[in-house]
Amino acid sequence: MANSDRADTAIAFVYRGTFVHSTQQTALQILKDALLGVDAQGKIAFIREGKELEKLSQTFGFKTSDITQLAQHEFFMPGLVDTHIHASQYSYAGTALDMPLLQWLNAYTFPVESCFKDLEFARKVYTQIVRRTLRNGTTTACYFATIHTEASLLLGQIANDFGQRALVGKVCMDRNDCVKHYKETLQDSQDETCRFIKELLEKKYPLVKPVVTPRFAPSCTGALLEQLGEIAKNNNLHIQSHISETHEEVKLVKELFPESESYTDVYRKHNLLTDKTVMAHGCHLSDEELALFRETGASLSHCPNSNFSLCSGVLNVRNVLKHKVKLGLGTDVAGGYSASMLDAVRRALDASKVLTIQDPKYKTLSFEEVFRIATLGGSQALSLDDQTGNFEVGKDFDALRINVAAEGGPIDLIQDEEPKILLEKFLNLGDDRNIVEVFVAGRRVVPITE
Ligand SMILES: Nc1nc2[nH]cnc2c(=O)[nH]1
Ligand SMILES: [Zn+2]
């Protein structure tokens, strides 16, 4: 037995067939006729070649009749990681995309988010977004809620109940000159953030954790940013926010924080750039700012649907990768109109092609590279890559069983195809009808049974 296998716990189930995933070395590794075993803790116990069946069944003590065989047009891939999504904006997803960011926030977002004081409204929206994202293969989501502590705790409970891995953020904002009733005092924001963190951690949900969430620099005073940096540090927590999404926003931050050298410097000064920080967008960051991300270990969430829909900008992903900044993909519902990470994959490819159209020397991203950003990249961006992101032994089994030829689905297969073609077709043409099973930490969470 190789050192990388774990034979210390009982095997819960074994699948045999094609597995595709990313590693640090290769954007797309294809394992044909592989055997993957999941233990009682939901962790990957082994992933080996089919011909090793006899030996494996002896070592791990499972019966060969317990194995589930995938069909020829099926494969497993790692679960999709949505590194930036506003659960509270789902009710108006697919509408209200006719304004630039700052006007859009005032006209649509803040009035809708105010409604989450009403817990029944919150329950309805949060149940729908968790179900929808899970069905579309999002096994890990990094959520923005609203400023309301009770509703934010409810989002954590709903994610836990449906079995989704999630970071949940109660939004902090003590500055809002436009919608005056949608903000907190400095003291309330601080106190309620501490209460949110304490109460969510006390629930001991295995897969749901709090994330410190200053909305973005323009809606926070320096004093609040300072406090949130302290809170994150003292509790070793994740941090999320927005950065450099539009030119207008960058200009506003310059006016509001004249003592800072850059937008990134505002967050850095307040100890909000750590290796557990994820910042959405970053379309207009300078090379110096990207270097600060690299130095601090902070990551970016690329949200191309939102960037197109609000006409914000086009992130130069190659430049981000060149600076060795960790990068994931995000839907940014409802600035992005789709809650599906498959849409984010397609829009990321489109964004890359826009840059190639503008400059033919720009090397377009391949579908394999975007696949990696949507899975392993996302897990790294959220500093969860010790638990999820690919099929390494010891990680949790977060996985999608894909049937490319699903009955009534969107893909017609004319002939037998290689796994690489099956993956490419699924990423470009597939939808939830092709995602026949979803596993998070070894638990089957789709089909949704209740
Ligand atoms: N896209 C987006 N950008 C933001 N910047 C600050 N808040 C938001 C938000 O809700 N959506
Ligand atoms: Zn956002």
Side-chain angles (χ1 to χ4, degrees):
M1 192 180 68
N3 293 335
S4 55
D5 287 336
R6 302 157 41 101
D8 45 352
T9 54
I11 296 300
F13 56 88
V14 179
Y15 276 98
R16 183 171 188 165
T18 300
F19 290 78
V20 304
H21 72 159
S22 305
T23 66
Q24 202 56 44
Q25 292 74 36
T26 45
L28 177 59
Q29 185 176 60
I30 296 170
L31 304 161
K32 285 194 212 174
D33 188 31
L35 280 161
L36 183 143
V38 177
D39 69 21
Q41 277 74 51
K43 293 187 188 302
I44 299 166
F46 59 83
I47 178 160
R48 306 294 288 257
E49 288 179 33
K51 65 181 184 210
E52 296 177 73
L53 173 58
E54 283 304 324
K55 199 177 67 193
L56 285 167
S57 74
Q58 280 166 22
T59 308
F60 290 93
F62 62 89
K63 295 199 291 289
T64 53
S65 57
D66 291 345
I67 299 170
T68 306
Q69 173 75 51
L70 297 186
Q72 210 268 332
H73 45 265
E74 288 189 308
F75 63 86
F76 265 108
M77 61 173 273
L80 294 159
V81 180
D82 189 340
T83 55
H84 184 79
I85 172 166
H86 297 260
S88 51
Q89 296 173 14
Y90 187 48
S91 65
Y92 66 99
T95 70
L97 300 168
D98 56 344
M99 287 178 195
L101 173 69
L102 300 179
Q103 287 162 263
W104 175 85
L105 285 172
N106 294 328
Y108 305 113
T109 306
F110 296 149
V112 169
E113 287 193 18
S114 304
C115 301
F116 284 72
K117 203 169 153 16
D118 174 353
L119 276 183
E120 280 323 298
F121 178 69
R123 183 184 303 281
K124 205 164 153 183
V125 177
Y126 287 161
T127 301
Q128 284 178 345
I129 188 68
V130 170
R131 292 174 66 102
R132 176 67 60 191
T133 53
L134 265 182
R135 288 215 313 260
N136 280 281
T138 301
T139 50
T140 301
C142 187
Y143 286 118
F144 272 61
T146 61
I147 63 173
H148 311 93
T149 305
E150 292 307 323
S152 305
L153 289 166
L154 182 60
L155 174 57
Q157 184 199 316
I158 291 167
N160 175 71
D161 288 350
F162 282 96
Q164 190 172 49
R165 189 185 301 277
L167 296 172
V168 177
K170 174 216 137 355
V171 172
C172 295
M173 46 195 290
D174 66 342
R175 180 145 60 175
N176 187 350
D177 296 334
C178 295
V179 178
K180 304 253 184 260
H181 62 278
Y182 190 59
K183 71 170 172 187
E184 315 152 288
T185 63
L186 169 63
Q187 191 66 45
D188 279 352
S189 192
Q190 217 174 292
D191 293 350
E192 288 299 297
T193 296
C194 292
R195 180 165 81 88
F196 170 72
I197 292 163
K198 181 168 173 289
E199 293 192 18
L200 191 60
L201 289 175
E202 276 171 3
K203 300 282 185 194
K204 298 206 182 313
Y205 299 139
L207 303 174
V208 178
K209 300 283 174 268
V211 44
V212 173
T213 307
R215 176 166 216 118
F216 67 157
S219 62
C220 301
T221 58
L224 178 57
L225 294 177
E226 181 88 34
Q227 287 299 329
L228 296 176
E230 277 289 299
I231 292 170
K233 190 169 164 195
N234 294 338
N235 299 280
N236 186 26
L237 292 176
H238 283 83
I239 298 167
Q240 63 175 348
S241 192
H242 298 87
I243 196 165
S244 270
E245 183 174 355
T246 73
H247 286 300
E248 209 186 348
E249 171 203 4
V250 175
K251 187 164 160 274
L252 179 59
V253 170
K254 249 193 204 123
E255 288 162 17
L256 293 172
F257 297 89
E259 70 290 355
S260 286
E261 275 163 36
S262 65
Y263 199 158
T264 305
D265 187 46
V266 173
Y267 291 131
R268 190 198 55 80
K269 270 207 174 81
H270 297 100
N271 297 317
L272 290 164
L273 283 193
T274 74
D275 62 359
K276 289 174 85 173
T277 297
V278 58
M279 290 283 168
H281 308 297
C283 301
H284 308 290
L285 293 172
S286 66
D287 285 352
E288 289 74 27
E289 289 180 281
L290 286 171
L292 268 181
F293 270 77
R294 162 76 174 155
E295 253 169 58
T296 54
S299 65
L300 282 173
S301 171
H302 177 31
C303 304
N305 187 317
S306 171
N307 295 159
F308 286 133
S309 294
L310 302 181
C311 298
S312 304
V314 185
L315 179 69
N316 185 330
V317 169
R318 282 263 172 252
N319 198 37
V320 173
L321 297 177
K322 194 176 100 188
H323 282 82
K324 299 201 177 334
V325 173
K326 294 185 290 179
L327 181 70
L329 269 190
T331 57
D332 195 26
V333 165
Y337 57 75
S338 172
S340 169
M341 281 291 292
L342 284 171
D343 171 87
V345 165
R346 292 164 200 166
R347 299 290 86 79
L349 287 163
D350 291 347
S352 172
K353 286 171 186 174
V354 166
L355 295 176
T356 305
I357 291 167
Q358 288 172 346
D359 173 9
K361 289 202 286 300
Y362 184 85
K363 188 162 175 270
T364 314
L365 295 175
S366 65
F367 83 85
E368 293 95 329
E369 288 176 293
V370 176
F371 170 72
R372 173 156 64 185
I373 295 168
T375 55
L376 183 61
S379 73
Q380 293 167 332
L382 299 181
S383 279
L384 293 173
D385 50 316
D386 56 332
Q387 292 160 60
T388 187
N390 64 7
F391 294 134
E392 254 174 54
V393 169
K395 287 194 185 184
D396 288 358
F397 185 62
D398 288 7
L400 315 182
R401 179 176 176 178
I402 307 300
N403 178 357
V404 182
E407 182 89 11
I411 303 174
D412 294 311
L413 284 183
I414 314 298
Q415 60 202 24
D416 283 351
E417 301 283 7
E418 282 298 302
K420 185 172 159 179
I421 298 288
L422 292 179
L423 174 65
E424 189 176 11
K425 282 206 177 245
F426 169 65
L427 292 178
N428 281 314
L429 301 170
D431 64 26
D432 56 343
R433 289 169 290 184
N434 303 107
I435 305 176
V436 292
E437 291 182 312
V438 177
F439 293 85
V440 181
R443 172 180 164 201
R444 196 171 85 148
V445 296
V446 171
I448 295 170
T449 44
E450 63 192 83

